mmCIF file of all heavy atoms in Angstrom:
data_model
loop_
_atom_site.group_PDB
_atom_site.id
_atom_site.type_symbol
_atom_site.label_atom_id
_atom_site.label_comp_id
_atom_site.label_asym_id
_atom_site.label_seq_id
_atom_site.Cartn_x
_atom_site.Cartn_y
_atom_site.Cartn_z
ATOM 1 N N ASP O 1467 16.048 -16.862 11.070
ATOM 2 C CA ASP O 1467 14.928 -16.548 10.189
ATOM 3 C C ASP O 1467 14.340 -17.848 9.658
ATOM 4 O O ASP O 1467 14.638 -18.277 8.539
ATOM 5 C CB ASP O 1467 15.386 -15.663 9.025
ATOM 6 C CG ASP O 1467 14.214 -15.090 8.220
ATOM 7 O OD1 ASP O 1467 13.094 -15.622 8.340
ATOM 8 O OD2 ASP O 1467 14.430 -14.122 7.463
ATOM 9 N N PRO O 1468 13.505 -18.517 10.464
ATOM 10 C CA PRO O 1468 12.985 -19.831 10.062
ATOM 11 C C PRO O 1468 12.121 -19.793 8.817
ATOM 12 O O PRO O 1468 12.099 -20.760 8.055
ATOM 13 C CB PRO O 1468 12.190 -20.285 11.287
ATOM 14 C CG PRO O 1468 11.909 -19.036 12.050
ATOM 15 C CD PRO O 1468 13.045 -18.122 11.800
ATOM 16 N N TYR O 1469 11.401 -18.690 8.570
ATOM 17 C CA TYR O 1469 10.573 -18.624 7.362
ATOM 18 C C TYR O 1469 11.451 -18.662 6.120
ATOM 19 O O TYR O 1469 11.168 -19.408 5.173
ATOM 20 C CB TYR O 1469 9.711 -17.367 7.371
ATOM 21 C CG TYR O 1469 8.989 -17.159 6.050
ATOM 22 C CD1 TYR O 1469 7.861 -17.915 5.746
ATOM 23 C CD2 TYR O 1469 9.467 -16.262 5.104
ATOM 24 C CE1 TYR O 1469 7.207 -17.763 4.524
ATOM 25 C CE2 TYR O 1469 8.828 -16.109 3.885
ATOM 26 C CZ TYR O 1469 7.698 -16.854 3.605
ATOM 27 O OH TYR O 1469 7.064 -16.713 2.386
ATOM 28 N N SER O 1470 12.512 -17.875 6.086
ATOM 29 C CA SER O 1470 13.401 -17.861 4.922
ATOM 30 C C SER O 1470 14.058 -19.216 4.713
ATOM 31 O O SER O 1470 14.240 -19.667 3.580
ATOM 32 C CB SER O 1470 14.470 -16.777 5.084
ATOM 33 O OG SER O 1470 13.885 -15.489 5.087
ATOM 34 N N ARG O 1471 14.412 -19.873 5.811
ATOM 35 C CA ARG O 1471 15.008 -21.203 5.693
ATOM 36 C C ARG O 1471 14.019 -22.187 5.089
ATOM 37 O O ARG O 1471 14.363 -22.963 4.185
ATOM 38 C CB ARG O 1471 15.455 -21.684 7.074
ATOM 39 C CG ARG O 1471 16.057 -23.099 7.065
ATOM 40 C CD ARG O 1471 16.213 -23.602 8.477
ATOM 41 N NE ARG O 1471 16.784 -24.940 8.508
ATOM 42 C CZ ARG O 1471 16.496 -25.861 9.414
ATOM 43 N NH1 ARG O 1471 15.618 -25.582 10.387
ATOM 44 N NH2 ARG O 1471 17.054 -27.057 9.392
ATOM 45 N N LEU O 1472 12.783 -22.180 5.578
ATOM 46 C CA LEU O 1472 11.758 -23.068 5.028
ATOM 47 C C LEU O 1472 11.547 -22.791 3.547
ATOM 48 O O LEU O 1472 11.484 -23.727 2.728
ATOM 49 C CB LEU O 1472 10.450 -22.870 5.792
ATOM 50 C CG LEU O 1472 9.247 -23.663 5.263
ATOM 51 C CD1 LEU O 1472 9.368 -25.125 5.663
ATOM 52 C CD2 LEU O 1472 7.939 -23.088 5.788
ATOM 53 N N GLN O 1473 11.442 -21.539 3.181
ATOM 54 C CA GLN O 1473 11.241 -21.168 1.777
ATOM 55 C C GLN O 1473 12.387 -21.673 0.913
ATOM 56 O O GLN O 1473 12.172 -22.274 -0.155
ATOM 57 C CB GLN O 1473 11.113 -19.649 1.670
ATOM 58 C CG GLN O 1473 10.862 -19.140 0.252
ATOM 59 C CD GLN O 1473 10.857 -17.620 0.207
ATOM 60 O OE1 GLN O 1473 11.764 -16.969 0.746
ATOM 61 N NE2 GLN O 1473 9.843 -17.036 -0.416
ATOM 62 N N ARG O 1474 13.612 -21.444 1.361
ATOM 63 C CA ARG O 1474 14.787 -21.851 0.581
ATOM 64 C C ARG O 1474 14.840 -23.372 0.408
ATOM 65 O O ARG O 1474 15.040 -23.877 -0.708
ATOM 66 C CB ARG O 1474 16.055 -21.362 1.282
ATOM 67 C CG ARG O 1474 17.340 -21.693 0.509
ATOM 68 C CD ARG O 1474 18.576 -21.189 1.224
ATOM 69 N NE ARG O 1474 18.866 -21.926 2.449
ATOM 70 C CZ ARG O 1474 18.610 -21.514 3.676
ATOM 71 N NH1 ARG O 1474 18.053 -20.334 3.875
ATOM 72 N NH2 ARG O 1474 18.903 -22.263 4.719
ATOM 73 N N LEU O 1475 14.655 -24.112 1.500
ATOM 74 C CA LEU O 1475 14.743 -25.568 1.416
ATOM 75 C C LEU O 1475 13.600 -26.153 0.596
ATOM 76 O O LEU O 1475 13.786 -27.144 -0.125
ATOM 77 C CB LEU O 1475 14.752 -26.161 2.828
ATOM 78 C CG LEU O 1475 15.984 -25.843 3.678
ATOM 79 C CD1 LEU O 1475 15.844 -26.437 5.075
ATOM 80 C CD2 LEU O 1475 17.251 -26.374 3.012
ATOM 81 N N PHE O 1476 12.420 -25.563 0.703
ATOM 82 C CA PHE O 1476 11.271 -26.038 -0.072
ATOM 83 C C PHE O 1476 11.542 -25.866 -1.560
ATOM 84 O O PHE O 1476 11.327 -26.787 -2.369
ATOM 85 C CB PHE O 1476 10.017 -25.254 0.339
ATOM 86 C CG PHE O 1476 8.726 -25.974 0.089
ATOM 87 C CD1 PHE O 1476 8.019 -26.557 1.119
ATOM 88 C CD2 PHE O 1476 8.196 -26.064 -1.206
ATOM 89 C CE1 PHE O 1476 6.818 -27.222 0.894
ATOM 90 C CE2 PHE O 1476 6.997 -26.716 -1.441
ATOM 91 C CZ PHE O 1476 6.299 -27.310 -0.392
ATOM 92 N N GLN O 1477 12.023 -24.689 -1.948
ATOM 93 C CA GLN O 1477 12.297 -24.426 -3.362
ATOM 94 C C GLN O 1477 13.442 -25.285 -3.885
ATOM 95 O O GLN O 1477 13.394 -25.783 -5.017
ATOM 96 C CB GLN O 1477 12.589 -22.937 -3.556
ATOM 97 C CG GLN O 1477 11.356 -22.062 -3.357
ATOM 98 C CD GLN O 1477 11.662 -20.579 -3.372
ATOM 99 O OE1 GLN O 1477 12.758 -20.161 -3.014
ATOM 100 N NE2 GLN O 1477 10.676 -19.774 -3.765
ATOM 101 N N GLN O 1478 14.474 -25.489 -3.080
ATOM 102 C CA GLN O 1478 15.593 -26.337 -3.507
ATOM 103 C C GLN O 1478 15.132 -27.771 -3.739
ATOM 104 O O GLN O 1478 15.547 -28.418 -4.706
ATOM 105 C CB GLN O 1478 16.697 -26.299 -2.446
ATOM 106 C CG GLN O 1478 17.469 -24.994 -2.387
ATOM 107 C CD GLN O 1478 18.497 -24.971 -1.265
ATOM 108 O OE1 GLN O 1478 18.542 -25.869 -0.417
ATOM 109 N NE2 GLN O 1478 19.336 -23.943 -1.255
ATOM 110 N N GLU O 1479 14.292 -28.267 -2.857
ATOM 111 C CA GLU O 1479 13.795 -29.638 -3.019
ATOM 112 C C GLU O 1479 12.896 -29.751 -4.247
ATOM 113 O O GLU O 1479 12.930 -30.763 -4.958
ATOM 114 C CB GLU O 1479 13.037 -30.061 -1.758
ATOM 115 C CG GLU O 1479 12.483 -31.474 -1.784
ATOM 116 C CD GLU O 1479 13.559 -32.538 -1.879
ATOM 117 O OE1 GLU O 1479 14.737 -32.239 -1.571
ATOM 118 O OE2 GLU O 1479 13.217 -33.688 -2.253
ATOM 119 N N ALA O 1480 12.094 -28.712 -4.516
ATOM 120 C CA ALA O 1480 11.247 -28.735 -5.711
ATOM 121 C C ALA O 1480 12.104 -28.784 -6.976
ATOM 122 O O ALA O 1480 11.809 -29.548 -7.907
ATOM 123 C CB ALA O 1480 10.347 -27.497 -5.727
ATOM 124 N N ILE O 1481 13.163 -27.983 -7.029
ATOM 125 C CA ILE O 1481 14.059 -27.987 -8.194
ATOM 126 C C ILE O 1481 14.712 -29.355 -8.347
ATOM 127 O O ILE O 1481 14.843 -29.886 -9.467
ATOM 128 C CB ILE O 1481 15.121 -26.878 -8.048
ATOM 129 C CG1 ILE O 1481 14.454 -25.502 -8.147
ATOM 130 C CG2 ILE O 1481 16.219 -27.025 -9.093
ATOM 131 C CD1 ILE O 1481 15.372 -24.352 -7.814
ATOM 132 N N ARG O 1482 15.115 -29.959 -7.228
ATOM 133 C CA ARG O 1482 15.741 -31.280 -7.284
ATOM 134 C C ARG O 1482 14.802 -32.324 -7.872
ATOM 135 O O ARG O 1482 15.233 -33.286 -8.511
ATOM 136 C CB ARG O 1482 16.173 -31.698 -5.879
ATOM 137 C CG ARG O 1482 17.063 -32.939 -5.833
ATOM 138 C CD ARG O 1482 17.495 -33.232 -4.408
ATOM 139 N NE ARG O 1482 16.427 -33.791 -3.608
ATOM 140 C CZ ARG O 1482 16.118 -35.089 -3.568
ATOM 141 N NH1 ARG O 1482 16.777 -35.956 -4.328
ATOM 142 N NH2 ARG O 1482 15.150 -35.509 -2.795
ATOM 143 N N ARG O 1483 13.500 -32.100 -7.690
ATOM 144 C CA ARG O 1483 12.512 -33.045 -8.196
ATOM 145 C C ARG O 1483 11.956 -32.624 -9.558
ATOM 146 O O ARG O 1483 10.983 -33.191 -10.033
ATOM 147 C CB ARG O 1483 11.372 -33.205 -7.188
ATOM 148 C CG ARG O 1483 11.821 -33.887 -5.906
ATOM 149 C CD ARG O 1483 10.670 -34.118 -4.954
ATOM 150 N NE ARG O 1483 11.110 -34.832 -3.765
ATOM 151 C CZ ARG O 1483 11.216 -36.162 -3.661
ATOM 152 N NH1 ARG O 1483 10.923 -36.920 -4.708
ATOM 153 N NH2 ARG O 1483 11.629 -36.724 -2.543
ATOM 154 N N GLY O 1484 12.568 -31.619 -10.163
ATOM 155 C CA GLY O 1484 12.194 -31.245 -11.518
ATOM 156 C C GLY O 1484 11.067 -30.255 -11.636
ATOM 157 O O GLY O 1484 10.472 -30.108 -12.710
ATOM 158 N N GLY O 1485 10.727 -29.551 -10.568
ATOM 159 C CA GLY O 1485 9.653 -28.561 -10.606
ATOM 160 C C GLY O 1485 10.100 -27.259 -9.976
ATOM 161 O O GLY O 1485 11.248 -27.112 -9.538
ATOM 162 N N THR O 1486 9.218 -26.308 -9.924
ATOM 163 C CA THR O 1486 9.479 -25.044 -9.239
ATOM 164 C C THR O 1486 8.255 -24.664 -8.414
ATOM 165 O O THR O 1486 7.124 -25.013 -8.763
ATOM 166 C CB THR O 1486 9.780 -23.898 -10.225
ATOM 167 O OG1 THR O 1486 8.671 -23.747 -11.117
ATOM 168 C CG2 THR O 1486 11.054 -24.184 -11.016
ATOM 169 N N VAL O 1487 8.517 -23.953 -7.314
ATOM 170 C CA VAL O 1487 7.449 -23.515 -6.428
ATOM 171 C C VAL O 1487 7.633 -22.035 -6.140
ATOM 172 O O VAL O 1487 8.717 -21.608 -5.735
ATOM 173 C CB VAL O 1487 7.446 -24.310 -5.110
ATOM 174 C CG1 VAL O 1487 6.363 -23.777 -4.168
ATOM 175 C CG2 VAL O 1487 7.224 -25.793 -5.363
ATOM 176 N N GLN O 1488 6.585 -21.275 -6.373
ATOM 177 C CA GLN O 1488 6.582 -19.866 -5.987
ATOM 178 C C GLN O 1488 5.872 -19.759 -4.638
ATOM 179 O O GLN O 1488 4.707 -20.121 -4.515
ATOM 180 C CB GLN O 1488 5.852 -19.018 -7.025
ATOM 181 C CG GLN O 1488 6.538 -18.975 -8.383
ATOM 182 C CD GLN O 1488 5.804 -18.071 -9.361
ATOM 183 O OE1 GLN O 1488 5.001 -17.225 -8.952
ATOM 184 N NE2 GLN O 1488 6.064 -18.258 -10.641
ATOM 185 N N ILE O 1489 6.617 -19.262 -3.632
ATOM 186 C CA ILE O 1489 6.082 -19.212 -2.271
ATOM 187 C C ILE O 1489 5.740 -17.780 -1.897
ATOM 188 O O ILE O 1489 6.525 -16.860 -2.072
ATOM 189 C CB ILE O 1489 7.103 -19.805 -1.275
ATOM 190 C CG1 ILE O 1489 7.333 -21.286 -1.589
ATOM 191 C CG2 ILE O 1489 6.606 -19.635 0.163
ATOM 192 C CD1 ILE O 1489 8.340 -21.960 -0.684
ATOM 193 N N GLN O 1490 4.535 -17.628 -1.376
ATOM 194 C CA GLN O 1490 4.068 -16.339 -0.872
ATOM 195 C C GLN O 1490 3.741 -16.489 0.597
ATOM 196 O O GLN O 1490 3.188 -17.511 1.026
ATOM 197 C CB GLN O 1490 2.827 -15.877 -1.641
ATOM 198 C CG GLN O 1490 2.268 -14.550 -1.173
ATOM 199 C CD GLN O 1490 1.001 -14.166 -1.938
ATOM 200 O OE1 GLN O 1490 0.568 -14.887 -2.829
ATOM 201 N NE2 GLN O 1490 0.404 -13.046 -1.564
ATOM 202 N N ARG O 1491 4.077 -15.493 1.376
ATOM 203 C CA ARG O 1491 3.829 -15.554 2.810
ATOM 204 C C ARG O 1491 2.462 -14.984 3.133
ATOM 205 O O ARG O 1491 2.053 -13.961 2.578
ATOM 206 C CB ARG O 1491 4.903 -14.771 3.560
ATOM 207 C CG ARG O 1491 4.781 -14.872 5.071
ATOM 208 C CD ARG O 1491 5.995 -14.261 5.724
ATOM 209 N NE ARG O 1491 5.927 -14.345 7.166
ATOM 210 C CZ ARG O 1491 6.935 -14.039 7.967
ATOM 211 N NH1 ARG O 1491 8.084 -13.635 7.449
ATOM 212 N NH2 ARG O 1491 6.806 -14.128 9.270
ATOM 213 N N GLY O 1492 1.742 -15.645 4.040
ATOM 214 C CA GLY O 1492 0.436 -15.173 4.464
ATOM 215 C C GLY O 1492 0.282 -15.256 5.966
ATOM 216 O O GLY O 1492 1.028 -15.973 6.645
ATOM 217 N N GLN O 1493 -0.687 -14.545 6.500
ATOM 218 C CA GLN O 1493 -0.966 -14.578 7.927
ATOM 219 C C GLN O 1493 -1.724 -15.862 8.272
ATOM 220 O O GLN O 1493 -2.525 -16.363 7.487
ATOM 221 C CB GLN O 1493 -1.800 -13.364 8.332
ATOM 222 C CG GLN O 1493 -1.073 -12.037 8.184
ATOM 223 C CD GLN O 1493 0.111 -11.929 9.122
ATOM 224 O OE1 GLN O 1493 0.044 -12.332 10.275
ATOM 225 N NE2 GLN O 1493 1.208 -11.391 8.612
ATOM 226 N N PRO O 1494 -1.472 -16.423 9.451
ATOM 227 C CA PRO O 1494 -2.228 -17.604 9.881
ATOM 228 C C PRO O 1494 -3.716 -17.299 9.946
ATOM 229 O O PRO O 1494 -4.124 -16.167 10.233
ATOM 230 C CB PRO O 1494 -1.662 -17.900 11.274
ATOM 231 C CG PRO O 1494 -0.324 -17.250 11.283
ATOM 232 C CD PRO O 1494 -0.460 -16.022 10.429
ATOM 233 N N LEU O 1495 -4.525 -18.308 9.668
ATOM 234 C CA LEU O 1495 -5.969 -18.155 9.717
ATOM 235 C C LEU O 1495 -6.482 -18.392 11.120
ATOM 236 O O LEU O 1495 -5.880 -19.130 11.905
ATOM 237 C CB LEU O 1495 -6.629 -19.133 8.742
ATOM 238 C CG LEU O 1495 -6.245 -18.976 7.263
ATOM 239 C CD1 LEU O 1495 -6.870 -20.095 6.455
ATOM 240 C CD2 LEU O 1495 -6.686 -17.616 6.746
ATOM 241 N N ALA O 1496 -7.598 -17.775 11.437
ATOM 242 C CA ALA O 1496 -8.194 -17.943 12.759
ATOM 243 C C ALA O 1496 -8.848 -19.316 12.907
ATOM 244 O O ALA O 1496 -9.045 -19.791 14.011
ATOM 245 C CB ALA O 1496 -9.231 -16.851 13.005
#
């Protein structure tokens, strides 16, 4: 599940840098 992995690692890195990120999934644009 590469999307979940990306989301988890992105949020963990944001917390490590003192912030938080709320991630929402969207469809690719044309």
Side-chain angles (χ1 to χ4, degrees):
D1467 191 342
Y1469 172 77
S1470 295
R1471 178 191 180 213
L1472 176 76
Q1473 181 185 48
R1474 182 180 70 258
L1475 293 178
F1476 205 104
Q1477 290 173 331
Q1478 288 176 351
E1479 181 63 19
I1481 292 171
R1482 191 177 74 85
R1483 293 184 177 275
T1486 58
V1487 177
Q1488 295 182 18
I1489 297 179
Q1490 180 182 359
R1491 184 171 180 171
Q1493 294 295 319
L1495 300 174

